[in-house]
Amino acid sequence: MGKFKVKYCYFDRRDHELIGIVNSVYDADNIFGYARKLYYPFFHPLGIKEMAESKGLRTAYAIVNLLESMERGEVQNRLQALAALKDEVLDTAGGSMPKNMARILLQIMKELVRAKGNYSLQLQLAHNFRMAAFGKPRVVRRLLKYYHLLEMPEEWNQLTFDDHVHDANTSGRKSPTHLIMDAWIKGIRRLRVIYYHCIEPRFAAELIEAARIMEIDLRIGIEFWARYRDRYISFIWVARGLPDVEAFLCFLAEPHVVHFMEQGRGVLKYQQAYVLSLLKSFNAHYLDTMCQTLGIDLPPLCPEAFFQFAAPGQPCIPHLGEYIHALAVAAMQDRMDQLNQSFATADITEQQEIKDLVERMDRFSAQEVIATYLRPEMYPDIVHPLTISDSPNVPERLKLSFQELFERIKLLHHDFRITLKLGDLKPEDVLEILYEGNGLITRVEIINLKDFIAGQTDHLVAVNELQEAINTGSLLKLKRVVRHIKLSMEQAGYADEPDRVKKLFNILYDIDALKKMYTVRPLKSRIGSDSTGRCHQTYGMGFGIVDTLTSRAMHQIKTSVGNRLILPANINVSQRMTSFATNEISRGAKWMMNALKWLPGLDQIISLKKKEWILTSFSLDMKGCGNIVTLGGIQKNNTNGLGLALSTGKKNTRANSWKNLNTKFKNCLKILIGFVPAFVCFSLTKDWWFLAYFGAFIWFGITGFRVILQSVLGGGGINRSSLLKWNDYVSWERLTDALLYTGFSVPLLDYVVKTLVLEQTFGITVASSPLMLYSVMGLANGIYLSSHNTFRGMPKGAITGNFFRSILAIPVAILFNSLIGAILIFFNTPGVEGVLQKWAAIISKAASDTVAGLIEGTVDRFQNMDLRKRDIQKKFSDLFEIYSRMELLFPETEELKILEKPHLLFCNKNSEVKDMAVMIIINALDLFYFWMYLPRARMTMLDMVSKLTPEEKTIFLQAQKLLEQEQFISRLFVEGILGQNFPRPLSFYLTTYKNYLAAIQKKTHSFK
């Protein structure tokens, strides 16, 4: 019975419901097919579709679509899912950390979807998801740290980037849309995705559209191999001046570009043939060796199965390593039952051998496969694709020198950038390539994270010195650097030293030409992770400039030494502040600015400026510590999850923790924990029985009434919708937190400050100095409020505001004290001063909460109005854009007359006209839902309508009047425009739309 009770103290019913929702998405995909229809993306996430499906279901459905394999998922589905995620999680986020909260919600939902089959893990993830959705800063920051995500500024102005990543269409693991989503979760704002030798139009379209949705600055690059002396070197080509999907696809469709890309596909086929030969040779020479080492049996690898495993990517050695590892892990898992049985009956020596084997199996990785069995030197009879050869089998593209390749690249597009990948190039190689490239190379990948971790760093400083010498424009410095490179080269002992010396002499004599190549367009640096998102990667994608992150992120980077890599590179930045014009400041900010302009720290409370970071310079110092940090952490436990079934006697205490308590039970505990010190303090320090036994209840009643009142007034007050009850506006988490912390303020204010310090130490009472008494108590209360707000991770504005709110409460407390004293004197109450002294703490508390109720209630009101302005503005923009497109379809109809005869729209044979009419109805339904359910939507909508132009007002009113088409709209619901759960929204529409239209017409009559 005890276990039964303890079980129900943890997690919530909604946690189990969320798991059921997530798992049902896999099992009933056809039920949610409506989300792929044309109309569904036009519904607002806070609109009428809230009545059809929960936010958890819609978020889970979108995540599942993004994580689907490339074979099952279609591009359009993934893009719609990403747009839906942005709407559901980011564009509707509230609280003080909306963007960071959205990041962690997406990360948790990803883990929740992937954890299908592990119910206990799903339960903890579902609970974390719901707790994070409340937006508490402390919870959000704890989860960010748990998932190794750095906190980003809410202004989203951080300088974060990665100039070299791969998706699943090359050697990566993630689809383009999945890659963009993960980049946004990490906080990356600039991304460059690299393809090998060519790019398919459908890949480019998906990448560009996904980046547009998430507002990531995207560049698509193509990596080429070209001959240089006795080897191949790599370049990355990036086209510029192609701003959107249409422009990029038109570029790829040009005949000369199609021909160039076809040559690149020939290189990929050549590489694919090499990987296939490697697979066959591995079967013949090393498969049995690997199986003996791991104690498993594997049949020969099947080429067709491998190609299916690698699809849609380009088969390569990393793919082959992953494929072999996946097969080996499956075989090892099958072997574990046999090993567990053998271990139980074996002697000590045999048990140790079994333990060693299991440990070896558990640590076996794809990286080990590549390093042990797939090294090119182990297959001398197979010609490596990067071996210089003039064989007829070598594609024509691989026979070109880099100068010849540049000449062909120049014909592709007029605006482009070329980045030189350093690899193992020496400074003399880089100098020669830059000179013979005639200034076409404008970027140098100064740090490639894979090469950097592998220790290929000896040449970086010299290359950076050459780069700086070129960019400074000083001939003397450039000459000195070139001569130093020449002397170093002569000591290296190259076989082709005479030719190299001749080339460097030519550069010295033509050094002015080298300088002029980069006078207009300097030689910039690029830093890339070369990440593929696979398990053998030490660090993931993404870099950030530490100076542009939050102070908490900086502290986390300093304290978590070893978990992240700080590169020996410095990107110096300067800060630019942009002040907003007065008419661009929100109404709430204007009100607070005018009312509290005398208050110190106002700029902490109201953001009146926009902060931007500007890059100024780049430097490399291999001996020092730079300011560029990896956004991904190191993977310490890279195992296969294999182990013997040994009883350790340990209990899973992770689930039975405070953070996983049932929400109602936790809220009751918070109230109890706060109530105990308050009750004890009153009962032990008060002589009057009423105050001793009921003082704590009065104290808690003041706090509870204040929180409830400010929530109701901030949400709508007496003008709220008749469909909402007063408690729909109250956040019970917020209420219980307030009661928890207010309980500890009783012994602080009533006993420590008022009794011990003021009365007994300094003799200050209500009778001697009420001003001093309430001033000190107000100051102490302000310090206490600021302290626990800091502990809870609240924004600086809230901390500052709560400190000064207690100071503002001092005159209010004196006023209350005077009024109560006057009332007591009026009723001839004896010992008035003694009574006031006993009630001083409660009077100070009531004054503080009165001020808090006025300030926070007003802030809640304006915050709700700002959120509604955001939501309604989006619907207005959609409505006017759709109507403008509809006007183009009726060139002969008088303007603003199209919606006056709606039956002509719905019966029109032109499907485009009918679709637009349905979209206008969707906007009307969402605005209708806003009016009836969302806090402060009514007055915000009326205010926004009053500011529309006469034409826009007419369109708005005509669009809302379309809700009278009861038969057509009912048929849309029944046909599944919102899925199968249409009865509730249909009933809501049929029973309330007439009242809504009557109210709209009455309220907006003066706007016509």
Side-chain angles (χ1 to χ4, degrees), residues 730-761:
V730 179
S731 169
W732 300 108
E733 281 280 320
R734 180 179 180 179
L735 175 62
T736 55
D737 284 343
L739 294 177
L740 169 66
Y741 289 102
T742 197
F744 291 96
S745 67
V746 176
L748 172 68
L749 296 178
D750 186 74
Y751 182 69
V752 175
V753 176
K754 189 197 75 172
T755 304
L756 290 182
V757 177
L758 294 177
E759 184 176 2
Q760 297 182 7
T761 304

mmCIF file of all heavy atoms in Angstrom, residues 730-761:
data_model
loop_
_atom_site.group_PDB
_atom_site.id
_atom_site.type_symbol
_atom_site.label_atom_id
_atom_site.label_comp_id
_atom_site.label_asym_id
_atom_site.label_seq_id
_atom_site.Cartn_x
_atom_site.Cartn_y
_atom_site.Cartn_z
ATOM 1 N N VAL A 730 -5.503 32.282 -13.788
ATOM 2 C CA VAL A 730 -4.569 32.167 -12.667
ATOM 3 C C VAL A 730 -3.560 31.053 -12.938
ATOM 4 O O VAL A 730 -3.935 29.936 -13.296
ATOM 5 C CB VAL A 730 -5.317 31.880 -11.352
ATOM 6 C CG1 VAL A 730 -4.331 31.739 -10.197
ATOM 7 C CG2 VAL A 730 -6.321 32.979 -11.069
ATOM 8 N N SER A 731 -2.276 31.373 -12.755
ATOM 9 C CA SER A 731 -1.220 30.372 -12.809
ATOM 10 C C SER A 731 -1.001 29.858 -11.387
ATOM 11 O O SER A 731 -0.485 30.573 -10.527
ATOM 12 C CB SER A 731 0.081 30.985 -13.354
ATOM 13 O OG SER A 731 1.159 30.093 -13.179
ATOM 14 N N TRP A 732 -1.412 28.603 -11.148
ATOM 15 C CA TRP A 732 -1.304 28.061 -9.794
ATOM 16 C C TRP A 732 0.146 27.806 -9.424
ATOM 17 O O TRP A 732 0.501 27.819 -8.239
ATOM 18 C CB TRP A 732 -2.133 26.780 -9.693
ATOM 19 C CG TRP A 732 -3.582 27.050 -10.002
ATOM 20 C CD1 TRP A 732 -4.265 26.682 -11.109
ATOM 21 C CD2 TRP A 732 -4.503 27.797 -9.189
ATOM 22 N NE1 TRP A 732 -5.560 27.142 -11.055
ATOM 23 C CE2 TRP A 732 -5.733 27.829 -9.880
ATOM 24 C CE3 TRP A 732 -4.410 28.436 -7.957
ATOM 25 C CZ2 TRP A 732 -6.852 28.472 -9.377
ATOM 26 C CZ3 TRP A 732 -5.527 29.076 -7.454
ATOM 27 C CH2 TRP A 732 -6.733 29.092 -8.159
ATOM 28 N N GLU A 733 1.004 27.564 -10.405
ATOM 29 C CA GLU A 733 2.440 27.454 -10.121
ATOM 30 C C GLU A 733 2.967 28.781 -9.585
ATOM 31 O O GLU A 733 3.738 28.817 -8.624
ATOM 32 C CB GLU A 733 3.186 27.065 -11.401
ATOM 33 C CG GLU A 733 3.109 25.607 -11.765
ATOM 34 C CD GLU A 733 4.092 24.771 -10.969
ATOM 35 O OE1 GLU A 733 5.225 25.234 -10.755
ATOM 36 O OE2 GLU A 733 3.720 23.653 -10.557
ATOM 37 N N ARG A 734 2.556 29.860 -10.213
ATOM 38 C CA ARG A 734 2.985 31.182 -9.774
ATOM 39 C C ARG A 734 2.461 31.479 -8.371
ATOM 40 O O ARG A 734 3.179 32.051 -7.535
ATOM 41 C CB ARG A 734 2.483 32.220 -10.774
ATOM 42 C CG ARG A 734 2.845 33.664 -10.475
ATOM 43 C CD ARG A 734 2.286 34.540 -11.585
ATOM 44 N NE ARG A 734 2.604 35.950 -11.370
ATOM 45 C CZ ARG A 734 2.234 36.922 -12.211
ATOM 46 N NH1 ARG A 734 1.549 36.625 -13.310
ATOM 47 N NH2 ARG A 734 2.558 38.168 -11.968
ATOM 48 N N LEU A 735 1.217 31.076 -8.103
ATOM 49 C CA LEU A 735 0.619 31.321 -6.800
ATOM 50 C C LEU A 735 1.349 30.550 -5.707
ATOM 51 O O LEU A 735 1.683 31.107 -4.645
ATOM 52 C CB LEU A 735 -0.860 30.931 -6.829
ATOM 53 C CG LEU A 735 -1.609 31.018 -5.494
ATOM 54 C CD1 LEU A 735 -1.619 32.439 -4.967
ATOM 55 C CD2 LEU A 735 -3.035 30.492 -5.654
ATOM 56 N N THR A 736 1.609 29.262 -5.940
ATOM 57 C CA THR A 736 2.263 28.457 -4.902
ATOM 58 C C THR A 736 3.706 28.899 -4.672
ATOM 59 O O THR A 736 4.198 28.840 -3.538
ATOM 60 C CB THR A 736 2.225 26.974 -5.272
ATOM 61 O OG1 THR A 736 2.804 26.786 -6.586
ATOM 62 C CG2 THR A 736 0.795 26.456 -5.289
ATOM 63 N N ASP A 737 4.392 29.331 -5.725
ATOM 64 C CA ASP A 737 5.741 29.865 -5.529
ATOM 65 C C ASP A 737 5.712 31.111 -4.651
ATOM 66 O O ASP A 737 6.565 31.303 -3.775
ATOM 67 C CB ASP A 737 6.382 30.198 -6.886
ATOM 68 C CG ASP A 737 6.845 28.961 -7.627
ATOM 69 O OD1 ASP A 737 6.977 27.908 -6.995
ATOM 70 O OD2 ASP A 737 7.071 29.052 -8.849
ATOM 71 N N ALA A 738 4.728 31.977 -4.919
ATOM 72 C CA ALA A 738 4.609 33.192 -4.110
ATOM 73 C C ALA A 738 4.333 32.849 -2.652
ATOM 74 O O ALA A 738 4.901 33.454 -1.726
ATOM 75 C CB ALA A 738 3.501 34.082 -4.668
ATOM 76 N N LEU A 739 3.478 31.847 -2.401
ATOM 77 C CA LEU A 739 3.165 31.454 -1.021
ATOM 78 C C LEU A 739 4.371 30.805 -0.346
ATOM 79 O O LEU A 739 4.577 30.974 0.869
ATOM 80 C CB LEU A 739 1.969 30.502 -1.007
ATOM 81 C CG LEU A 739 0.631 31.099 -1.463
ATOM 82 C CD1 LEU A 739 -0.462 30.033 -1.461
ATOM 83 C CD2 LEU A 739 0.229 32.265 -0.565
ATOM 84 N N LEU A 740 5.158 30.049 -1.107
ATOM 85 C CA LEU A 740 6.352 29.421 -0.541
ATOM 86 C C LEU A 740 7.328 30.474 -0.005
ATOM 87 O O LEU A 740 7.767 30.407 1.147
ATOM 88 C CB LEU A 740 7.028 28.546 -1.595
ATOM 89 C CG LEU A 740 8.425 28.032 -1.239
ATOM 90 C CD1 LEU A 740 8.356 27.058 -0.060
ATOM 91 C CD2 LEU A 740 9.068 27.360 -2.451
ATOM 92 N N TYR A 741 7.631 31.439 -0.824
ATOM 93 C CA TYR A 741 8.648 32.412 -0.430
ATOM 94 C C TYR A 741 8.099 33.463 0.539
ATOM 95 O O TYR A 741 8.845 34.013 1.341
ATOM 96 C CB TYR A 741 9.226 33.094 -1.671
ATOM 97 C CG TYR A 741 10.099 32.160 -2.479
ATOM 98 C CD1 TYR A 741 9.629 31.566 -3.646
ATOM 99 C CD2 TYR A 741 11.391 31.859 -2.068
ATOM 100 C CE1 TYR A 741 10.419 30.704 -4.375
ATOM 101 C CE2 TYR A 741 12.191 30.995 -2.786
ATOM 102 C CZ TYR A 741 11.703 30.413 -3.950
ATOM 103 O OH TYR A 741 12.484 29.553 -4.665
ATOM 104 N N THR A 742 6.802 33.724 0.482
ATOM 105 C CA THR A 742 6.252 34.710 1.419
ATOM 106 C C THR A 742 6.225 34.171 2.840
ATOM 107 O O THR A 742 6.281 34.927 3.810
ATOM 108 C CB THR A 742 4.837 35.138 0.987
ATOM 109 O OG1 THR A 742 4.501 36.341 1.661
ATOM 110 C CG2 THR A 742 3.785 34.089 1.339
ATOM 111 N N GLY A 743 6.167 32.832 2.985
ATOM 112 C CA GLY A 743 6.166 32.254 4.321
ATOM 113 C C GLY A 743 7.448 32.539 5.078
ATOM 114 O O GLY A 743 7.432 32.784 6.295
ATOM 115 N N PHE A 744 8.572 32.520 4.391
ATOM 116 C CA PHE A 744 9.857 32.752 5.047
ATOM 117 C C PHE A 744 10.089 34.240 5.331
ATOM 118 O O PHE A 744 11.016 34.586 6.067
ATOM 119 C CB PHE A 744 10.992 32.199 4.188
ATOM 120 C CG PHE A 744 11.015 30.708 4.115
ATOM 121 C CD1 PHE A 744 10.423 30.040 3.050
ATOM 122 C CD2 PHE A 744 11.605 29.957 5.127
ATOM 123 C CE1 PHE A 744 10.437 28.655 2.988
ATOM 124 C CE2 PHE A 744 11.617 28.569 5.070
ATOM 125 C CZ PHE A 744 11.039 27.905 4.002
ATOM 126 N N SER A 745 9.271 35.092 4.712
ATOM 127 C CA SER A 745 9.429 36.516 4.999
ATOM 128 C C SER A 745 8.831 36.896 6.350
ATOM 129 O O SER A 745 9.135 37.963 6.889
ATOM 130 C CB SER A 745 8.771 37.352 3.892
ATOM 131 O OG SER A 745 7.365 37.187 3.895
ATOM 132 N N VAL A 746 7.986 36.028 6.940
ATOM 133 C CA VAL A 746 7.368 36.341 8.231
ATOM 134 C C VAL A 746 8.416 36.416 9.346
ATOM 135 O O VAL A 746 8.526 37.429 10.044
ATOM 136 C CB VAL A 746 6.269 35.313 8.579
ATOM 137 C CG1 VAL A 746 5.710 35.590 9.976
ATOM 138 C CG2 VAL A 746 5.159 35.369 7.554
ATOM 139 N N PRO A 747 9.214 35.352 9.570
ATOM 140 C CA PRO A 747 10.235 35.486 10.626
ATOM 141 C C PRO A 747 11.251 36.576 10.304
ATOM 142 O O PRO A 747 11.781 37.217 11.224
ATOM 143 C CB PRO A 747 10.886 34.103 10.670
ATOM 144 C CG PRO A 747 10.530 33.449 9.382
ATOM 145 C CD PRO A 747 9.205 34.008 8.985
ATOM 146 N N LEU A 748 11.506 36.807 9.023
ATOM 147 C CA LEU A 748 12.479 37.846 8.670
ATOM 148 C C LEU A 748 11.955 39.225 9.042
ATOM 149 O O LEU A 748 12.641 40.000 9.734
ATOM 150 C CB LEU A 748 12.776 37.778 7.165
ATOM 151 C CG LEU A 748 13.624 38.926 6.615
ATOM 152 C CD1 LEU A 748 15.043 38.858 7.156
ATOM 153 C CD2 LEU A 748 13.635 38.900 5.083
ATOM 154 N N LEU A 749 10.740 39.565 8.590
ATOM 155 C CA LEU A 749 10.218 40.909 8.804
ATOM 156 C C LEU A 749 9.662 41.103 10.217
ATOM 157 O O LEU A 749 9.948 42.112 10.875
ATOM 158 C CB LEU A 749 9.134 41.217 7.762
ATOM 159 C CG LEU A 749 9.581 41.273 6.294
ATOM 160 C CD1 LEU A 749 8.383 41.539 5.393
ATOM 161 C CD2 LEU A 749 10.639 42.335 6.093
ATOM 162 N N ASP A 750 8.842 40.135 10.658
ATOM 163 C CA ASP A 750 8.148 40.335 11.919
ATOM 164 C C ASP A 750 9.050 40.130 13.129
ATOM 165 O O ASP A 750 8.976 40.904 14.098
ATOM 166 C CB ASP A 750 6.948 39.379 12.007
ATOM 167 C CG ASP A 750 6.096 39.648 13.237
ATOM 168 O OD1 ASP A 750 5.375 40.659 13.226
ATOM 169 O OD2 ASP A 750 6.174 38.858 14.194
ATOM 170 N N TYR A 751 9.882 39.118 13.082
ATOM 171 C CA TYR A 751 10.688 38.814 14.267
ATOM 172 C C TYR A 751 12.086 39.429 14.194
ATOM 173 O O TYR A 751 12.493 40.197 15.073
ATOM 174 C CB TYR A 751 10.784 37.301 14.453
ATOM 175 C CG TYR A 751 11.569 36.914 15.695
ATOM 176 C CD1 TYR A 751 11.055 37.160 16.966
ATOM 177 C CD2 TYR A 751 12.818 36.316 15.584
ATOM 178 C CE1 TYR A 751 11.774 36.817 18.116
ATOM 179 C CE2 TYR A 751 13.548 35.969 16.722
ATOM 180 C CZ TYR A 751 13.022 36.225 17.982
ATOM 181 O OH TYR A 751 13.744 35.904 19.106
ATOM 182 N N VAL A 752 12.838 39.123 13.122
ATOM 183 C CA VAL A 752 14.226 39.571 13.046
ATOM 184 C C VAL A 752 14.303 41.093 12.901
ATOM 185 O O VAL A 752 14.954 41.784 13.693
ATOM 186 C CB VAL A 752 14.955 38.880 11.880
ATOM 187 C CG1 VAL A 752 16.372 39.439 11.738
ATOM 188 C CG2 VAL A 752 15.000 37.377 12.092
ATOM 189 N N VAL A 753 13.617 41.636 11.871
ATOM 190 C CA VAL A 753 13.755 43.070 11.577
ATOM 191 C C VAL A 753 12.968 43.914 12.574
ATOM 192 O O VAL A 753 13.516 44.828 13.219
ATOM 193 C CB VAL A 753 13.293 43.364 10.132
ATOM 194 C CG1 VAL A 753 13.351 44.870 9.854
ATOM 195 C CG2 VAL A 753 14.171 42.614 9.145
ATOM 196 N N LYS A 754 11.650 43.615 12.704
ATOM 197 C CA LYS A 754 10.808 44.496 13.532
ATOM 198 C C LYS A 754 11.104 44.354 15.014
ATOM 199 O O LYS A 754 11.241 45.357 15.743
ATOM 200 C CB LYS A 754 9.332 44.161 13.276
ATOM 201 C CG LYS A 754 8.367 45.170 13.911
ATOM 202 C CD LYS A 754 6.957 44.612 14.018
ATOM 203 C CE LYS A 754 6.875 43.595 15.149
ATOM 204 N NZ LYS A 754 5.490 43.151 15.417
ATOM 205 N N THR A 755 11.234 43.108 15.508
ATOM 206 C CA THR A 755 11.373 42.901 16.953
ATOM 207 C C THR A 755 12.823 42.971 17.421
ATOM 208 O O THR A 755 13.168 43.780 18.279
ATOM 209 C CB THR A 755 10.756 41.543 17.342
ATOM 210 O OG1 THR A 755 9.397 41.501 16.901
ATOM 211 C CG2 THR A 755 10.806 41.333 18.850
ATOM 212 N N LEU A 756 13.673 42.091 16.867
ATOM 213 C CA LEU A 756 15.047 42.014 17.363
ATOM 214 C C LEU A 756 15.854 43.269 17.023
ATOM 215 O O LEU A 756 16.508 43.851 17.886
ATOM 216 C CB LEU A 756 15.740 40.777 16.785
ATOM 217 C CG LEU A 756 15.266 39.405 17.294
ATOM 218 C CD1 LEU A 756 16.087 38.294 16.666
ATOM 219 C CD2 LEU A 756 15.378 39.328 18.820
ATOM 220 N N VAL A 757 15.819 43.668 15.749
ATOM 221 C CA VAL A 757 16.691 44.764 15.320
ATOM 222 C C VAL A 757 16.121 46.121 15.704
ATOM 223 O O VAL A 757 16.769 46.925 16.398
ATOM 224 C CB VAL A 757 16.940 44.689 13.797
ATOM 225 C CG1 VAL A 757 17.786 45.887 13.328
ATOM 226 C CG2 VAL A 757 17.632 43.386 13.439
ATOM 227 N N LEU A 758 14.900 46.409 15.265
ATOM 228 C CA LEU A 758 14.366 47.755 15.451
ATOM 229 C C LEU A 758 13.899 48.018 16.882
ATOM 230 O O LEU A 758 14.293 49.019 17.501
ATOM 231 C CB LEU A 758 13.213 47.983 14.461
ATOM 232 C CG LEU A 758 13.610 48.008 12.979
ATOM 233 C CD1 LEU A 758 12.381 48.176 12.118
ATOM 234 C CD2 LEU A 758 14.611 49.113 12.705
ATOM 235 N N GLU A 759 13.045 47.107 17.410
ATOM 236 C CA GLU A 759 12.450 47.379 18.718
ATOM 237 C C GLU A 759 13.434 47.143 19.862
ATOM 238 O O GLU A 759 13.665 48.022 20.694
ATOM 239 C CB GLU A 759 11.198 46.505 18.908
ATOM 240 C CG GLU A 759 10.473 46.798 20.216
ATOM 241 C CD GLU A 759 9.189 45.981 20.339
ATOM 242 O OE1 GLU A 759 8.899 45.168 19.426
ATOM 243 O OE2 GLU A 759 8.484 46.147 21.353
ATOM 244 N N GLN A 760 14.037 45.940 19.930
ATOM 245 C CA GLN A 760 14.878 45.596 21.067
ATOM 246 C C GLN A 760 16.269 46.226 20.983
ATOM 247 O O GLN A 760 16.872 46.531 22.013
ATOM 248 C CB GLN A 760 14.991 44.074 21.193
ATOM 249 C CG GLN A 760 13.660 43.387 21.474
ATOM 250 C CD GLN A 760 13.802 41.871 21.635
ATOM 251 O OE1 GLN A 760 14.918 41.350 21.660
ATOM 252 N NE2 GLN A 760 12.678 41.188 21.766
ATOM 253 N N THR A 761 16.812 46.407 19.785
ATOM 254 C CA THR A 761 18.172 46.936 19.659
ATOM 255 C C THR A 761 18.182 48.458 19.601
ATOM 256 O O THR A 761 18.962 49.120 20.303
ATOM 257 C CB THR A 761 18.856 46.362 18.407
ATOM 258 O OG1 THR A 761 18.837 44.942 18.481
ATOM 259 C CG2 THR A 761 20.305 46.858 18.301
#
